[in-house]
Amino acid sequence: VFCVNPAHLYTDKLGTPARYNPQQILMDDWMDGARNKDLIADAQSMALQLYPEPPTPGENSFWRNGSRKILVFAKVFLITHEGAEKATLSEDLRLLRNVKHLIAACKTASSSSILNGELADMAADLHYKLTARDTRQVDSFLEGAIQSLSAFSSSGWLAESTSACDFRFKDLKDDPATVYLIADPTKMKAFAPWLGSLSR
């Protein structure tokens, strides 16, 4: 039995909470050469989960898509260039909050040949926007991306809970187990992005 319990509720009865990093799926894509082609698509799917379309989509989809592109870049860059320890939602947020580091990441990735050059193309596009004379558009994209990750800030409960994997959902097929996702009912607005990221 695994209790994924970010807020450490009733640990006297439930024991030490299990951790699960939703981005393990992306790391698996990267580590398995045969699945590299899934990495961008899975990162896009995760970005859409974090920043979903509203119930009644309007003309602002342009801005939401801009934010999702930045989310995808951050995820793929950290996984491919920084390794497993940095491949977390909290590290995504940390990178996006520091524009200086984000620009440096774009410079690094722009010369990369991995993923048939797609990461380099994404990096070049983002670098151009971040260093343009008028950054109001990309500032809006970036703010949307940051807001979609705000629940995973490094000072909160969710950072620890999503920092590593104590189990893998795919392994449950071979080793049956029960997984409980336990959210603090008084903080459901903050916990909603976490529940969504684990349901994909």
Side-chain angles (χ1 to χ4, degrees), residues 111-133:
S111 60
S112 172
S113 62
I114 63 173
L115 302 172
N116 291 328
E118 185 169 3
L119 181 61
D121 293 342
M122 294 166 61
D125 176 64
L126 181 55
H127 183 271
Y128 172 77
K129 291 173 180 173
L130 289 170
T131 57
R133 181 172 298 179

Side-chain angles (χ1 to χ4, degrees), residues 61-98:
S61 60
F62 171 80
W63 303 101
R64 291 189 291 274
N65 285 330
S67 296
R68 292 178 193 126
K69 288 179 181 178
I70 293 178
L71 286 170
V72 170
F73 172 77
K75 293 175 187 306
V76 176
F77 173 78
L78 289 174
I79 286 169
T80 57
H81 286 73
E82 300 292 336
E85 290 185 2
K86 296 288 187 179
T88 68
L89 293 162
S90 298
E91 289 295 335
D92 291 349
L93 177 59
R94 177 170 286 180
L95 175 61
L96 298 184
R97 280 177 168 169
N98 190 320

